[in-house]
Amino acid sequence: MPLAELWRGGLPESAHLGHLVIADAGGIREHWGNPGAIIFPRSSCKMIQALPLLESGAAAAAGLQPRHLALACASHEGAALHVGAVSRWLQDLGLGEADLRCGAHEPRDKAERNRLIRAAEPPCQLHNNCSGKHAGFLTVNRHLGAGPDYGEYDHPLQQAIRQTTAEVAGEELAGWGVDGCSAPNFAFSLQGLARAMARFAVAREGQAGARGDAMARLVQAMIAHPDLVAGEGRACTGLMRAAEGRAAIKVGAEGVFVAILPEQGLGIALKCVDGNARAAEVALSAVLVRLGVIAAGHPLAQKWQDPVQRSWRGIEAGVLRADPALHRPLNQGAGKA
Amino acid sequence: MPLAELWRGGLPESAHLGHLVIADAGGIREHWGNPGAIIFPRSSCKMIQALPLLESGAAAAAGLQPRHLALACASHEGAALHVGAVSRWLQDLGLGEADLRCGAHEPRDKAERNRLIRAAEPPCQLHNNCSGKHAGFLTVNRHLGAGPDYGEYDHPLQQAIRQTTAEVAGEELAGWGVDGCSAPNFAFSLQGLARAMARFAVAREGQAGARGDAMARLVQAMIAHPDLVAGEGRACTGLMRAAEGRAAIKVGAEGVFVAILPEQGLGIALKCVDGNARAAEVALSAVLVRLGVIAAGHPLAQKWQDPVQRSWRGIEAGVLRADPALHRPLNQGAGKA
């Protein structure tokens, strides 16, 4: 089903298809496209991958604070803010950059990127957008006393994540693949991902055991630190700020987005079929506005609300428009799972 | 129709739809998807936009060489090679960077990008990937003695390009929009674009008047200077080198690609519906291999032949695969236009 279209000169130029599910604790509330589509959640499931960090007691033993938990769920920009925080976290564990297994890439943050170029310094693993997740992995791993290659599929940590993922998705996993950061990423249905996000949304501390506590603390940490979850100019950070505490929002590679709405007890998951983030962003924005999570035209969220496309001289050239259907309630109930 | 799929861990992760037409001088020879789809060719039509440069006599009057014509058709990387050549071209015209109307953006070439960052020098309009096209525009414009805002829709140059585009596409134009470089870009059908490329493919100097001469010289210039048409690491340059003189190849923004095959008298045009370049590249590569233009596994073209996807640590994670149907002849004749 269409998620978004790019228009230029009054004509449609490009179009993005996708699937979207809004779930509550009971199952699917609304859907668009195929709720049973098997997807790789990629980084959108970092909150699930962080559950063993809390449930194992590792986070408490290491004295982790909300900022650490936000970083464990982050796909950050590699700004000085993020790199410094992950570096200190590793130091507190008695570990260092070389213990990471995420690989290095140039940071998206321009100030840090330019600093590296001016200093003729190559990017390191701390700059990897997943370095916070991997710092979380290392924290559990030290607690478990397991081997250093914590990213291998057979490693006890990844097996714990596999088990946890199947539990919160409420279904059999369809398989797994290697993510950009070299850790396993488990494939399951989009409705399973939305259902998992709904479980995060209804979790409250002290009400549903260790898992409920862990879920609630991760959501609170993300909402408290939108700047750590992504960075300046990024959709996760901007939309969370515009939501003013009403949503935790997380992107995944290849056009995945999820949102956790604690006030409404809803989880949202969407996948742009062609893997494009721009369509996923505007589609999610449209749904968040419709659900009253973000005010239409909120200055912090305008960048993702049917954004105008401009030429390099700033001339208005077109618009990237969420499918009009996303502004109204979608197919309801039919796909109840 | 599918153009390409991204696979991870043995499962399909993302998929790209699109349209593709192979035309000869008589019309459509093969098609895939909808040959009548209205598209914006974006930068894939720079060869068409350069026809008035030659047909007006402006290129001869300015003493332009094949390297200038290749740059007029280029979406270059903004490497020192490109920036220097465009700068000298403007100087020879008695003009400068400030006469350009393309706007500035950071060059894709990393060496030049890093040089600018180290020198704390902002990118200028010469770095714009379209600066060669705009130098061509300025060359015609000086010849015509028209006003400085050569990129405006109503300017005589853009009206000449509009007329030329309709002629070589062989159809009414569907409209126009503002391109990334602020110049008008005319919308017409994909089959019109393929037909136009077939006209370039069969053009030989001295056989079909000023237009045939102009077409032949532009194709020869592109084939002679693949490095100027895009840059190191880019599909246009790599695929043209691998084609060893058998093809002129040009990308357009939003998932457009064209190829001109002079030996076979064929023009190819394709549009990835979601605007993604990666799918357009692998789909075009598959067709070029099937047509014998590029050798399967050619070392200069491997990057675009079902490329393996790797994690940031270099671990094999998946593959971006052209649709298997593209390796065989497609629907033939049915869409003859």
Side-chain angles (χ1 to χ4, degrees):
Chain A
M1 304 295 282
L3 283 186
E5 271 191 340
L6 178 68
W7 286 69
R8 183 179 302 273
L11 292 168
E13 181 173 21
S14 298
H16 299 278
L17 303 179
H19 314 294
L20 187 152
V21 178
I22 305 177
D24 58 25
I28 297 179
R29 185 178 282 196
E30 296 182 28
H31 72 280
W32 184 241
N34 177 16
I38 298 299
I39 60 138
F40 283 98
R42 307 293 298 273
S43 287
S44 76
C45 73
K46 279 176 173 159
M47 298 79 91
I48 301 174
Q49 293 174 308
L51 288 172
L53 171 63
L54 288 105
E55 294 177 17
S56 67
L64 297 194
Q65 300 301 309
R67 67 178 184 277
H68 299 103
L69 302 185
L71 282 166
C73 299
S75 296
H76 64 68
E77 293 275 84
L81 174 75
H82 309 109
V83 172
V86 174
S87 177
R88 284 189 297 277
W89 182 354
L90 294 179
Q91 209 166 14
D92 291 345
L93 293 173
L95 299 170
E97 189 262 358
D99 295 302
L100 292 169
R101 295 287 183 272
C102 51
H105 64 73
E106 189 169 82
R108 285 178 61 148
D109 178 77
K110 289 213 170 173
E112 176 66 1
R113 181 199 70 171
N114 293 357
R115 186 192 70 74
L116 291 172
I117 290 167
R118 290 194 191 105
E121 189 182 320
C124 70
Q125 296 191 88
L126 296 168
H127 293 101
N128 187 306
N129 72 88
C130 300
S131 69
K133 176 177 87 169
H134 282 249
F137 284 172
L138 280 167
T139 307
V140 198
N141 201 36
R142 203 187 58 158
H143 195 72
L144 298 175
D149 289 317
Y150 62 82
E152 299 293 322
Y153 177 79
D154 293 330
H155 190 279
L157 171 58
Q158 298 307 328
Q159 287 303 304
I161 289 172
R162 188 183 62 76
Q163 176 67 25
T164 303
T165 303
E167 287 167 12
V168 300
E171 65 184 45
E172 289 273 319
L173 302 177
W176 69 282
V178 174
D179 208 340
C181 70
S182 301
N185 195 258
F186 297 99
F188 51 103
S189 75
L190 190 69
Q191 66 195 15
L193 184 58
R195 208 156 37 205
M197 294 306 118
R199 292 184 187 195
F200 276 90
V202 299
R204 300 289 182 270
E205 282 198 80
Q207 290 186 9
R211 173 141 308 162
D213 285 1
M215 285 179 156
R217 289 187 56 206
L218 289 166
V219 173
Q220 289 159 17
M222 289 175 73
I223 288 176
H225 297 286
D227 53 340
L228 294 179
V229 173
E232 297 308 321
R234 292 283 301 282
C236 293
T237 299
L239 294 175
M240 274 199 278
R241 284 175 177 158
E244 298 170 356
R246 288 184 291 270
I249 293 167
K250 187 70 193 67
V251 70
E254 292 295 325
V256 179
F257 248 102
V258 299
I260 297 165
L261 314 183
E263 281 182 9
Q264 306 191 36
L266 296 177
I268 305 174
L270 72 86
K271 161 79 181 174
C272 177
V273 167
D274 58 63
N276 203 306
R278 69 181 183 186
E281 290 169 356
V282 301
L284 182 67
S285 293
V287 171
L288 291 174
V289 168
R290 199 242 303 162
L291 293 173
V293 175
I294 291 177
H298 193 297
L300 296 178
Q302 279 177 338
K303 189 173 166 184
W304 304 282
Q305 292 182 10
D306 293 4
V308 166
Q309 312 290 301
R310 295 187 181 279
S311 76
W312 291 112
R313 289 176 71 209
I315 299 169
E316 191 169 326
V319 63
L320 179 64
R321 198 178 288 163
D323 192 86
L326 296 174
H327 296 293
R328 300 184 293 272
L330 307 171
N331 307 308
Q332 295 181 14
K336 210 83 183 171
Chain B
M1 306 293 283
L3 283 186
E5 271 192 339
L6 178 68
W7 286 70
R8 183 178 303 273
L11 293 168
E13 180 173 22
S14 297
H16 299 278
L17 303 179
H19 313 295
L20 187 151
V21 178
I22 305 176
D24 57 26
I28 296 180
R29 186 177 283 196
E30 298 181 27
H31 72 278
W32 184 242
N34 176 15
I38 298 299
I39 60 139
F40 284 99
R42 307 294 298 273
S43 288
S44 77
C45 72
K46 279 177 174 158
M47 296 80 90
I48 301 174
Q49 293 173 309
L51 288 172
L53 172 62
L54 287 105
E55 295 177 15
S56 66
L64 297 194
Q65 300 302 308
R67 66 177 184 280
H68 298 104
L69 302 185
L71 282 165
C73 299
S75 296
H76 64 67
E77 294 274 84
L81 174 75
H82 309 108
V83 172
V86 174
S87 176
R88 283 189 297 277
W89 182 354
L90 295 179
Q91 210 166 10
D92 291 345
L93 293 173
L95 300 170
E97 189 263 356
D99 295 300
L100 292 169
R101 295 288 183 272
C102 52
H105 64 73
E106 189 169 80
R108 285 179 61 149
D109 177 78
K110 290 213 169 170
E112 177 66 2
R113 181 198 70 172
N114 293 356
R115 186 192 69 75
L116 291 172
I117 290 168
R118 290 193 192 106
E121 189 182 321
C124 70
Q125 296 191 88
L126 296 169
H127 293 102
N128 188 307
N129 73 89
C130 299
S131 69
K133 177 177 86 171
H134 282 248
F137 284 171
L138 281 168
T139 306
V140 198
N141 200 37
R142 204 189 55 158
H143 195 73
L144 298 176
D149 289 318
Y150 62 81
E152 298 294 321
Y153 176 80
D154 293 330
H155 190 279
L157 171 58
Q158 298 307 328
Q159 287 303 305
I161 290 172
R162 187 184 61 75
Q163 176 66 24
T164 303
T165 303
E167 287 167 9
V168 300
E171 64 184 45
E172 290 271 320
L173 302 177
W176 69 281
V178 174
D179 208 340
C181 69
S182 300
N185 195 256
F186 297 99
F188 51 103
S189 75
L190 190 67
Q191 67 195 13
L193 184 58
R195 210 157 35 206
M197 294 304 118
R199 291 184 188 195
F200 275 91
V202 299
R204 300 289 181 274
E205 281 197 80
Q207 291 187 5
R211 174 140 308 161
D213 285 0
M215 286 180 157
R217 289 186 57 205
L218 289 166
V219 174
Q220 288 159 18
M222 290 175 73
I223 288 177
H225 297 287
D227 53 341
L228 294 179
V229 172
E232 297 308 320
R234 292 284 299 284
C236 292
T237 299
L239 294 175
M240 273 200 278
R241 284 176 177 159
E244 298 170 356
R246 288 184 290 271
I249 294 166
K250 187 69 193 67
V251 71
E254 292 295 325
V256 180
F257 249 101
V258 300
I260 297 165
L261 314 183
E263 282 183 10
Q264 307 190 35
L266 295 177
I268 304 174
L270 72 86
K271 162 79 181 174
C272 177
V273 167
D274 57 64
N276 203 305
R278 68 180 183 186
E281 290 169 356
V282 301
L284 182 66
S285 293
V287 172
L288 291 174
V289 167
R290 199 241 305 161
L291 293 174
V293 175
I294 290 178
H298 193 298
L300 296 177
Q302 280 178 339
K303 188 172 168 187
W304 304 283
Q305 293 183 9
D306 293 5
V308 166
Q309 312 291 302
R310 296 187 182 279
S311 76
W312 291 111
R313 290 177 70 211
I315 298 169
E316 192 169 325
V319 63
L320 179 63
R321 197 178 288 163
D323 192 87
L326 296 173
H327 296 293
R328 299 183 294 273
L330 308 171
N331 307 309
Q332 295 180 15
K336 210 82 183 172

Coordinates of all heavy atoms in Angstrom, one line a residue, chain B residues 32-97:
Chain B
W32 N 9.5 -3.7 -19.8 CA 9.3 -4.3 -18.4 C 8.6 -3.3 -17.6 O 9.0 -2.1 -17.5 CB 10.7 -4.6 -17.9 CG 10.8 -5.3 -16.6 CD1 11.3 -4.8 -15.4 CD2 10.3 -6.6 -16.3 NE1 11.2 -5.8 -14.4 CE2 10.6 -6.9 -14.9 CE3 9.7 -7.6 -17.0 CZ2 10.4 -8.1 -14.3 CZ3 9.4 -8.8 -16.4 CH2 9.8 -9.1 -15.1
G33 N 7.4 -3.6 -17.1 CA 6.6 -2.6 -16.4 C 5.9 -1.8 -17.4 O 5.5 -2.3 -18.5
N34 N 5.7 -0.5 -17.1 CA 4.8 0.4 -18.0 C 5.7 1.3 -18.8 O 6.2 2.3 -18.3 CB 3.9 1.2 -17.0 CG 3.1 2.2 -17.8 OD1 3.0 2.1 -19.0 ND2 2.5 3.1 -17.1
P35 N 5.8 1.0 -20.1 CA 6.6 1.9 -21.0 C 6.1 3.3 -21.1 O 6.8 4.2 -21.4 CB 6.7 1.2 -22.3 CG 5.6 0.2 -22.3 CD 5.2 -0.1 -20.9
G36 N 4.8 3.5 -20.8 CA 4.1 4.8 -20.9 C 4.2 5.6 -19.7 O 3.7 6.7 -19.6
A37 N 4.9 5.1 -18.6 CA 4.9 5.8 -17.4 C 5.5 7.2 -17.6 O 6.6 7.3 -18.3 CB 5.8 5.0 -16.4
I38 N 4.9 8.2 -17.1 CA 5.4 9.6 -17.2 C 6.5 9.8 -16.1 O 6.2 9.5 -14.9 CB 4.3 10.6 -17.0 CG1 3.3 10.5 -18.1 CG2 4.9 12.0 -17.0 CD1 3.8 10.7 -19.5
I39 N 7.6 10.2 -16.5 CA 8.8 10.3 -15.6 C 9.4 11.7 -15.8 O 9.3 12.3 -16.8 CB 9.8 9.2 -15.8 CG1 10.4 9.3 -17.2 CG2 9.2 7.9 -15.5 CD1 11.8 9.1 -17.3
F40 N 10.2 12.1 -14.7 CA 11.1 13.2 -14.9 C 12.5 12.5 -15.2 O 13.0 11.8 -14.3 CB 11.2 14.0 -13.6 CG 10.0 15.0 -13.4 CD1 9.0 14.6 -12.6 CD2 10.0 16.2 -14.1 CE1 7.9 15.5 -12.4 CE2 8.9 17.1 -14.0 CZ 7.9 16.7 -13.1
P41 N 13.1 12.8 -16.3 CA 14.4 12.1 -16.6 C 15.5 12.6 -15.7 O 16.5 12.0 -15.6 CB 14.6 12.5 -18.1 CG 13.8 13.7 -18.3 CD 12.6 13.6 -17.4
R42 N 15.3 13.8 -15.1 CA 16.3 14.5 -14.3 C 17.6 14.5 -15.1 O 17.6 14.7 -16.3 CB 16.4 13.8 -12.9 CG 15.1 13.6 -12.2 CD 14.5 15.0 -11.7 NE 15.4 15.7 -10.8 CZ 15.4 15.5 -9.5 NH1 14.5 14.7 -8.9 NH2 16.2 16.2 -8.7
S43 N 18.8 14.2 -14.4 CA 20.0 14.4 -15.1 C 20.3 13.4 -16.2 O 21.3 13.5 -17.0 CB 21.2 14.3 -14.1 OG 21.2 15.4 -13.3
S44 N 19.4 12.4 -16.4 CA 19.7 11.4 -17.5 C 19.5 12.1 -18.8 O 19.9 11.5 -19.9 CB 18.7 10.2 -17.3 OG 17.4 10.5 -17.8
C45 N 18.9 13.2 -18.9 CA 18.6 13.9 -20.2 C 19.6 15.0 -20.5 O 19.3 15.9 -21.4 CB 17.2 14.4 -20.3 SG 16.9 15.8 -19.3
K46 N 20.7 15.0 -19.8 CA 21.7 16.1 -20.0 C 22.2 16.1 -21.5 O 22.5 17.2 -22.0 CB 22.8 16.0 -19.0 CG 22.5 16.6 -17.7 CD 23.6 16.5 -16.6 CE 23.2 17.3 -15.4 NZ 23.9 16.8 -14.2
M47 N 22.2 14.9 -22.1 CA 22.6 14.9 -23.5 C 21.6 15.6 -24.4 O 22.0 16.3 -25.4 CB 22.7 13.4 -24.0 CG 23.8 12.6 -23.3 SD 23.2 12.0 -21.7 CE 22.5 10.5 -22.1
I48 N 20.3 15.5 -24.0 CA 19.3 16.3 -24.8 C 19.5 17.8 -24.5 O 19.4 18.6 -25.4 CB 17.9 15.8 -24.4 CG1 17.8 14.3 -24.6 CG2 16.8 16.6 -25.1 CD1 16.4 13.6 -24.1
Q49 N 19.7 18.1 -23.2 CA 19.8 19.5 -22.9 C 21.1 20.1 -23.5 O 21.1 21.4 -23.6 CB 19.9 19.7 -21.3 CG 18.6 19.3 -20.7 CD 18.7 19.3 -19.1 OE1 19.6 18.7 -18.6 NE2 17.8 20.0 -18.5
A50 N 22.0 19.3 -23.9 CA 23.2 19.8 -24.5 C 23.1 20.0 -26.1 O 24.0 20.5 -26.7 CB 24.4 18.9 -24.2
L51 N 22.0 19.5 -26.7 CA 21.9 19.6 -28.1 C 22.0 21.0 -28.6 O 22.7 21.3 -29.6 CB 20.7 18.8 -28.6 CG 20.7 17.3 -28.5 CD1 19.4 16.7 -28.8 CD2 21.8 16.7 -29.5
P52 N 21.2 21.9 -28.0 CA 21.3 23.3 -28.5 C 22.7 23.9 -28.4 O 23.0 24.8 -29.2 CB 20.3 24.1 -27.6 CG 19.4 23.0 -27.1 CD 20.2 21.8 -27.0
L53 N 23.5 23.4 -27.5 CA 24.9 23.9 -27.4 C 25.6 23.7 -28.7 O 26.4 24.5 -29.2 CB 25.6 23.2 -26.3 CG 27.1 23.3 -26.1 CD1 27.4 24.8 -25.8 CD2 27.6 22.4 -24.9
L54 N 25.4 22.5 -29.3 CA 26.1 22.2 -30.6 C 25.3 22.7 -31.8 O 25.9 23.3 -32.7 CB 26.3 20.7 -30.7 CG 27.4 20.1 -29.8 CD1 26.8 19.4 -28.7 CD2 28.4 19.3 -30.6
E55 N 24.0 22.5 -31.8 CA 23.2 22.9 -32.9 C 23.2 24.4 -33.2 O 23.0 24.8 -34.3 CB 21.7 22.3 -32.8 CG 21.7 20.8 -32.7 CD 20.2 20.3 -32.5 OE1 19.3 21.1 -32.6 OE2 20.1 19.1 -32.2
S56 N 23.3 25.1 -32.2 CA 23.3 26.6 -32.3 C 24.6 27.1 -32.9 O 24.7 28.3 -33.2 CB 23.1 27.3 -30.9 OG 24.2 27.0 -30.1
G57 N 25.7 26.3 -32.9 CA 27.0 26.8 -33.3 C 27.8 27.3 -32.2 O 29.0 27.7 -32.3
A58 N 27.2 27.3 -31.0 CA 27.9 27.9 -29.8 C 29.2 27.1 -29.4 O 30.2 27.7 -29.1 CB 27.0 28.0 -28.6
A59 N 29.1 25.8 -29.5 CA 30.2 25.0 -29.1 C 31.4 25.2 -30.1 O 32.5 25.4 -29.6 CB 29.8 23.5 -29.1
A60 N 31.1 25.3 -31.4 CA 32.2 25.5 -32.3 C 32.8 26.9 -32.1 O 34.0 27.1 -32.1 CB 31.6 25.4 -33.7
A61 N 31.9 27.9 -31.9 CA 32.4 29.3 -31.8 C 33.3 29.4 -30.5 O 34.2 30.2 -30.5 CB 31.2 30.2 -31.6
A62 N 32.9 28.6 -29.5 CA 33.7 28.7 -28.3 C 34.9 27.7 -28.3 O 35.7 27.6 -27.4 CB 32.9 28.4 -27.1
G63 N 35.0 27.0 -29.4 CA 36.2 26.0 -29.5 C 36.1 24.9 -28.5 O 37.1 24.4 -28.1
L64 N 34.9 24.4 -28.2 CA 34.8 23.3 -27.2 C 35.3 22.0 -27.7 O 35.2 21.7 -28.9 CB 33.3 23.1 -26.8 CG 32.6 24.3 -26.1 CD1 31.3 23.8 -25.5 CD2 33.5 25.0 -25.1
Q65 N 35.9 21.3 -26.8 CA 36.5 20.0 -27.2 C 35.6 18.9 -26.6 O 34.7 19.2 -25.8 CB 37.9 19.9 -26.5 CG 38.9 21.0 -27.0 CD 39.1 20.9 -28.6 OE1 39.3 19.9 -29.1 NE2 38.8 22.0 -29.2
P66 N 35.9 17.6 -27.0 CA 35.1 16.5 -26.4 C 35.1 16.5 -24.9 O 34.0 16.2 -24.3 CB 35.9 15.3 -26.9 CG 36.5 15.7 -28.2 CD 36.8 17.1 -28.0
R67 N 36.1 17.0 -24.2 CA 36.1 17.0 -22.7 C 35.0 18.0 -22.2 O 34.3 17.7 -21.2 CB 37.5 17.3 -22.1 CG 38.0 18.7 -22.4 CD 39.3 18.9 -21.7 NE 39.8 20.3 -21.9 CZ 40.4 20.8 -23.0 NH1 40.7 19.9 -23.9 NH2 40.8 22.0 -23.1
H68 N 34.8 19.1 -22.9 CA 33.8 20.0 -22.5 C 32.4 19.4 -22.7 O 31.5 19.5 -21.9 CB 33.8 21.3 -23.3 CG 35.1 22.1 -23.2 ND1 36.1 22.1 -24.1 CD2 35.6 22.8 -22.1 CE1 37.1 22.8 -23.7 NE2 36.8 23.3 -22.5
L69 N 32.2 18.7 -23.8 CA 30.9 18.1 -24.1 C 30.6 17.0 -23.1 O 29.5 16.8 -22.7 CB 30.9 17.5 -25.6 CG 31.2 18.5 -26.7 CD1 31.1 17.8 -28.0 CD2 30.3 19.7 -26.6
A70 N 31.6 16.2 -22.7 CA 31.4 15.2 -21.7 C 31.0 15.8 -20.4 O 30.1 15.4 -19.7 CB 32.7 14.4 -21.5
L71 N 31.6 17.0 -20.0 CA 31.2 17.7 -18.8 C 29.8 18.3 -18.9 O 29.1 18.3 -17.9 CB 32.2 18.8 -18.5 CG 33.5 18.4 -17.9 CD1 34.5 19.5 -18.0 CD2 33.3 17.9 -16.4
A72 N 29.4 18.7 -20.1 CA 28.0 19.2 -20.3 C 27.0 18.1 -20.0 O 25.9 18.4 -19.6 CB 27.9 19.8 -21.7
C73 N 27.4 16.9 -20.2 CA 26.5 15.7 -20.0 C 26.6 15.1 -18.6 O 26.0 14.1 -18.3 CB 26.7 14.7 -21.1 SG 26.4 15.2 -22.8
A74 N 27.5 15.7 -17.8 CA 27.9 15.0 -16.6 C 27.1 15.3 -15.4 O 26.5 16.4 -15.3 CB 29.4 15.4 -16.3
S75 N 27.0 14.3 -14.4 CA 26.7 14.6 -13.0 C 27.9 14.2 -12.3 O 28.1 13.0 -11.9 CB 25.5 13.7 -12.6 OG 24.3 14.1 -13.4
H76 N 28.8 15.1 -12.2 CA 30.1 14.8 -11.7 C 30.3 14.8 -10.2 O 29.4 15.3 -9.5 CB 31.2 15.7 -12.4 CG 31.1 17.1 -12.0 ND1 31.3 17.6 -10.8 CD2 30.7 18.2 -12.8 CE1 31.1 18.9 -10.8 NE2 30.8 19.3 -12.0
E77 N 31.4 14.3 -9.7 CA 31.6 14.1 -8.2 C 32.1 15.4 -7.6 O 32.4 15.4 -6.4 CB 32.7 13.1 -8.0 CG 32.3 11.7 -8.5 CD 31.5 11.0 -7.3 OE1 30.3 11.2 -7.2 OE2 32.2 10.3 -6.6
G78 N 32.4 16.4 -8.4 CA 33.1 17.6 -7.8 C 34.5 17.4 -7.4 O 35.0 18.0 -6.4
A79 N 35.2 16.4 -8.0 CA 36.6 16.2 -7.7 C 37.4 17.3 -8.3 O 36.9 18.1 -9.2 CB 37.0 14.9 -8.3
A80 N 38.7 17.4 -8.0 CA 39.5 18.5 -8.5 C 39.5 18.5 -10.0 O 39.5 19.6 -10.6 CB 40.9 18.3 -7.9
L81 N 39.5 17.3 -10.6 CA 39.5 17.1 -12.0 C 38.3 17.9 -12.7 O 38.4 18.6 -13.7 CB 39.3 15.6 -12.3 CG 39.1 15.2 -13.8 CD1 40.4 15.3 -14.5 CD2 38.6 13.7 -13.8
H82 N 37.1 17.7 -12.0 CA 35.9 18.3 -12.6 C 35.8 19.8 -12.3 O 35.5 20.6 -13.2 CB 34.6 17.6 -12.0 CG 34.7 16.1 -12.1 ND1 34.9 15.3 -11.0 CD2 34.6 15.3 -13.2 CE1 34.9 14.1 -11.4 NE2 34.7 14.0 -12.7
V83 N 36.2 20.2 -11.1 CA 36.1 21.6 -10.7 C 37.1 22.4 -11.5 O 36.7 23.5 -12.0 CB 36.4 21.7 -9.2 CG1 36.5 23.1 -8.7 CG2 35.2 21.0 -8.4
G84 N 38.3 21.9 -11.7 CA 39.3 22.6 -12.4 C 38.9 22.8 -13.9 O 39.0 23.9 -14.5
A85 N 38.3 21.7 -14.5 CA 38.0 21.8 -15.9 C 36.8 22.8 -16.1 O 36.8 23.5 -17.1 CB 37.6 20.4 -16.4
V86 N 35.8 22.7 -15.2 CA 34.7 23.7 -15.4 C 35.2 25.1 -15.1 O 34.8 26.0 -15.9 CB 33.5 23.3 -14.5 CG1 32.4 24.4 -14.5 CG2 33.0 21.9 -14.8
S87 N 36.1 25.3 -14.2 CA 36.6 26.6 -13.9 C 37.3 27.2 -15.1 O 37.1 28.4 -15.5 CB 37.5 26.5 -12.7 OG 38.1 27.7 -12.4
R88 N 38.2 26.4 -15.7 CA 38.9 26.8 -16.9 C 38.0 27.1 -18.1 O 38.1 28.1 -18.8 CB 39.9 25.8 -17.3 CG 41.2 25.8 -16.4 CD 42.3 24.9 -17.0 NE 41.9 23.5 -17.1 CZ 41.9 22.6 -16.1 NH1 42.4 23.0 -14.9 NH2 41.6 21.3 -16.2
W89 N 36.9 26.3 -18.2 CA 35.9 26.5 -19.3 C 35.3 27.9 -19.1 O 35.2 28.7 -20.0 CB 34.9 25.4 -19.2 CG 33.8 25.4 -20.2 CD1 33.5 26.4 -21.1 CD2 32.8 24.4 -20.4 NE1 32.4 26.0 -21.9 CE2 32.0 24.8 -21.5 CE3 32.6 23.1 -19.8 CZ2 30.9 24.0 -21.9 CZ3 31.5 22.4 -20.2 CH2 30.7 22.8 -21.3
L90 N 34.9 28.2 -17.9 CA 34.2 29.5 -17.6 C 35.2 30.7 -17.9 O 34.8 31.7 -18.5 CB 33.7 29.6 -16.2 CG 32.6 28.6 -15.8 CD1 32.2 28.8 -14.3 CD2 31.3 28.8 -16.7
Q91 N 36.4 30.5 -17.4 CA 37.5 31.5 -17.7 C 37.6 31.7 -19.2 O 37.7 32.9 -19.6 CB 38.8 30.9 -17.1 CG 39.7 32.0 -16.6 CD 40.8 31.4 -15.7 OE1 41.0 30.1 -15.7 NE2 41.6 32.2 -15.0
D92 N 37.7 30.7 -19.9 CA 37.8 30.8 -21.4 C 36.6 31.6 -22.0 O 36.8 32.3 -23.0 CB 37.9 29.5 -22.1 CG 39.2 28.7 -21.8 OD1 40.1 29.4 -21.3 OD2 39.3 27.5 -22.0
L93 N 35.5 31.5 -21.3 CA 34.3 32.3 -21.8 C 34.3 33.7 -21.3 O 33.4 34.5 -21.7 CB 33.0 31.6 -21.3 CG 32.6 30.2 -21.8 CD1 31.4 29.7 -21.1 CD2 32.3 30.3 -23.3
G94 N 35.3 34.0 -20.5 CA 35.3 35.3 -19.8 C 34.3 35.4 -18.7 O 33.8 36.5 -18.4
L95 N 33.9 34.3 -18.2 CA 32.9 34.3 -17.1 C 33.5 33.6 -15.9 O 34.7 33.2 -15.9 CB 31.7 33.4 -17.6 CG 30.9 34.0 -18.8 CD1 29.9 33.0 -19.3 CD2 30.3 35.3 -18.5
G96 N 32.7 33.5 -14.8 CA 33.2 33.0 -13.6 C 32.1 32.2 -12.8 O 31.0 32.2 -13.2
E97 N 32.5 31.7 -11.6 CA 31.6 30.9 -10.8 C 30.3 31.7 -10.5 O 29.2 31.1 -10.5 CB 32.4 30.6 -9.5 CG 31.7 29.6 -8.6 CD 30.9 30.2 -7.5 OE1 30.9 31.5 -7.3 OE2 30.2 29.5 -6.8

